[in-house]
Amino acid sequence: MPSTADDPDGLELELLLEAVHRRYGLDFRGYATASLRRRVWRRVTLEGLQTVTGLTDRILHDPRVLERLLKDLSINVTEMFRDPSFHGALREAAIPLLRTYPFVRVWNAGCSTGEEAYSLAIALHEAGLLERSRIYATDMNEGALAQARTGSFPLERMQVYTENYQRAGGARSLSEYYVARGASAVFDPMLARNMVFAHHNLVSDRSFNEFHLIVCRNVMIYFGRELQRHVHELFLDSLVPLGLLGLGRKEAIQPPEIAACYQPLVASEKLFRRRT
Amino acid sequence: MVDLVVIGASWGGLRALRAVLAPLTPDFPAPILIVQHRSDEESALAELLARTCALTVREAEDKDRLQAGTVLLAPHGYHLLVEGDEAILSVDDPVRFSRPSIDVLLESAAEHGDRAVGVVLTGANADGAAGLAAIRRRGGIAIVQDPQSAERPQMPRAALAAVPDAQVRPLEQIGPELMRICAPSTARPGAA
Ligand SMILES: C[S@@+](CC[C@H](N)C(=O)[O-])C[C@H]1O[C@@H](n2cnc3c(N)ncnc32)[C@H](O)[C@@H]1O
């Protein structure tokens, strides 16, 4: 929403985002401001400043302050088999459709530190499809990608992930897929054989392949309506006819013209299928 | 003109929310957003509230348009924020152990200035105090459940400590008060 003269706070935030874009080429201008504002203010306080404009000033002259702000702006929280019922729906409704293709391409957009991509790999593996699948897991955050490429996650999280996995209809014990090494659970490299972690910014990068399944969860909630439309156009460009799209539990396809291009596969789980 | 009501509740919240929403009529002129702390994923809260109130009650979806007379609840595991006339969700870290966080909702509502009403109900923590203070600072109206009438008084007390000039109301008066504040035409007949 464009700010007005009687909304000086909104204007300051807009100018900050404009500065970050013009100076460093990073575009947060289309993000939802309500959640951005909180995090920007946190950075203002942590830098010992009084105003967002003060932060803009620092950022223009000191890339290290930008680095710190970028860390604040990048929300990487994720889980394996987050929302087990979604992963259950993938297993029951999506996998049988994917099985009909000789080769399956999956795009996990906004993959963060890789937990979601590994969850998808395990489901494909248990369906006997992993051998003929490729998972493209992308994010704009290099730090998160570097973490994802290690194929290891905090061991302390495994109890929760095991429960999620079982509730998602997991056929075995999650522990069959990893070994404990120090504080890490190192996952079986077999899962990563057909997995590619790559940098991709949903705001500025283009479609790079045609996919049978796109999973993009809890990423677009950070985008404003216009940017959501842009990304949904990108997804439509990147799906094969009758391809599948999985969104977060509380996300909708915007705008209606694009929503009309899909039919629900499992409506309650935000799993959609392209009509043509 | 008030065009937004935001409510935070924690321990004992179901009963309190029912009492607050029950007196509101279907033509209630403002949208209502609620954060109720919940410990599990049960999504029955919307149904439970809908049963005893005349408004539409549902869990918020990202970018839902706010509508007068519609109550949106923060879904389990997500922060709920307001931006203009849209509901926004986020999975940012919990704030003081809570996601959804009452402070996060109320602070976002403070952007509505004097068009926002914030209400803090029963609870056993201090969530909502900072958010209510933000609403008040920007000229909005702050209402706090009388700690005496609260199943757990800590949250209303913390809110009052942060916003000493908030209106303090026993539970059963909060709904009627919202009706009075939000429907100025009935309060001031003839006003433009
Ligand atoms: C909250 S995480 C969600 C992770 C995972 N999809 C899940 O649901 O558990 C959001 C991710 O989106 C990424 N992201 C945000 N904006 C992006 C953009 N413009 N392009 C690509 N990734 C982005 C962030 O870096 C972060 O890793």
Side-chain angles (χ1 to χ4, degrees):
Chain A
M1 216 180 34
S3 60
T4 53
D6 55 348
D7 175 19
D9 292 353
L11 184 55
E12 280 192 81
L13 186 62
E14 244 177 68
L15 291 173
L16 169 76
L17 300 181
E18 196 59 41
V20 169
H21 181 240
R22 299 262 291 270
R23 177 87 170 79
Y24 300 99
L26 297 162
D27 195 354
F28 289 98
R29 295 172 302 171
Y31 280 50
T33 43
S35 30
L36 263 184
R37 181 181 292 118
R38 260 196 91 75
R39 285 178 259 142
V40 166
W41 267 104
R42 210 183 82 91
R43 182 46 50 200
V44 170
T45 313
L46 287 174
E47 299 290 332
L49 301 165
Q50 309 299 321
T51 62
V52 174
T53 301
L55 184 63
T56 307
D57 181 45
R58 286 285 171 87
I59 278 174
L60 284 174
H61 302 105
D62 186 350
R64 286 169 308 176
V65 181
L66 176 79
E67 281 305 316
R68 296 199 285 268
L69 176 67
L70 288 183
K71 281 221 175 67
D72 299 329
L73 294 189
S74 175
I75 303 303
N76 296 117
V77 277
T78 185
E79 257 176 40
M80 287 188 85
F81 300 98
R82 183 184 211 159
D83 304 323
S85 56
F86 172 81
H87 289 271
L90 274 184
R91 206 178 272 266
E92 278 162 30
I95 296 240
L97 295 173
L98 296 179
R99 203 182 278 294
T100 61
Y101 298 106
F103 195 82
V104 181
R105 280 185 305 273
V106 178
W107 181 12
N108 183 197
C111 66
S112 188
T113 41
E115 283 83 340
E116 197 169 51
Y118 272 82
S119 309
L120 297 171
I122 288 172
L124 290 166
H125 171 69
E126 291 182 4
L129 288 180
L130 189 59
E131 287 294 307
R132 55 184 167 103
S133 304
R134 174 150 287 180
I135 300 173
Y136 297 79
T138 63
D139 203 281
M140 68 163 185
N141 185 315
E142 292 287 2
L145 288 169
Q147 177 62 45
R149 289 190 188 102
T150 68
S152 60
F153 309 118
L155 191 58
E156 55 174 30
R157 303 287 288 145
M158 288 305 135
Q159 199 182 335
V160 174
Y161 295 175
T162 298
E163 275 167 35
N164 285 355
Y165 166 75
Q166 267 148 14
R167 285 167 58 204
R172 314 177 183 185
S173 161
L174 188 62
S175 60
E176 287 179 31
Y177 293 107
Y178 65 84
V179 291
R181 205 168 289 156
S184 298
V186 181
F187 275 71
D188 192 336
M190 158 285 280
L191 292 170
R193 259 206 320 258
N194 292 329
M195 194 143 49
V196 187
F197 286 102
H199 185 266
H200 183 279
N201 191 324
L202 291 166
V203 178
S204 46
D205 292 329
R206 289 160 183 263
S207 172
F208 59 97
N209 212 327
E210 275 212 317
F211 298 94
H212 304 96
L213 167 67
I214 298 178
V215 173
C216 183
R217 313 189 73 221
N218 304 306
V219 178
M220 278 192 276
I221 52 176
Y222 291 104
F223 297 174
R225 269 177 183 260
E226 267 315 298
L227 192 49
Q228 286 192 349
R229 167 204 284 272
H230 168 81
V231 176
H232 273 298
E233 277 166 2
L234 176 69
F235 287 167
L236 211 47
D237 272 350
S238 310
L239 271 180
V240 299
L242 303 177
L244 308 177
L245 173 66
L247 302 177
R249 193 156 58 87
K250 293 291 169 184
E251 294 172 52
I253 302 178
Q254 311 272 9
E257 311 90 87
I258 294 186
C261 301
Y262 293 88
Q263 62 190 45
L265 184 64
V266 182
S268 58
E269 298 301 335
K270 301 299 159 76
L271 194 52
F272 301 93
R273 188 176 200 196
R274 227 187 111 161
R275 285 186 191 274
T276 54
Chain B
M1 240 286 274
V2 166
D3 65 1
L4 177 66
V5 176
V6 286
I7 305 178
S10 186
W11 189 310
L14 176 59
R15 201 177 67 90
L17 286 168
R18 282 182 148 169
V20 169
L21 298 179
L24 307 185
T25 52
D27 59 353
F28 189 75
I32 301 177
L33 271 59
I34 296 179
V35 166
Q36 158 74 57
H37 292 157
R38 285 183 274 178
S39 54
D40 54 22
E41 289 177 30
E42 50 100 357
S43 53
L45 183 64
E47 264 167 58
L48 289 174
L49 289 175
R51 246 179 249 165
T52 53
C53 103
L55 310 184
T56 306
V57 185
R58 53 188 175 79
E59 285 201 351
E61 282 205 346
D62 183 53
K63 308 294 179 301
D64 260 341
R65 294 257 193 237
L66 306 188
Q67 267 179 311
T70 295
V71 180
L72 295 179
L73 295 176
H76 174 80
Y78 291 86
H79 291 301
L80 171 64
L81 301 88
V82 51
E83 176 173 341
D85 67 343
E86 289 176 4
I88 307 279
L89 300 180
S90 101
V91 290
D92 284 21
D93 286 332
V95 175
R96 290 201 273 156
F97 309 108
S98 292
R99 191 177 62 203
S101 146
I102 301 170
D103 278 336
V104 168
L105 172 64
L106 268 53
E107 279 170 19
S108 72
E111 298 293 318
H112 278 235
D114 62 3
R115 291 169 295 128
V117 183
V119 183
V120 173
L121 302 174
T122 172
N125 54 69
D127 197 5
L132 198 67
I135 287 181
R136 194 71 199 95
R137 220 170 23 247
R138 302 287 296 267
I141 298 171
I143 299 177
V144 176
Q145 177 178 5
D146 183 350
Q148 303 269 354
S149 79
E151 212 162 307
R152 286 289 182 282
Q154 288 89 338
M155 216 165 80
R157 275 202 198 119
L160 282 174
V163 191
D165 67 345
Q167 305 180 24
V168 185
R169 292 278 183 276
L171 192 54
E172 66 280 3
Q173 282 180 24
I174 295 177
E177 179 66 16
L178 289 175
M179 288 289 286
R180 203 185 57 74
I181 295 171
C182 298
S185 53
T186 50
R188 292 181 295 135

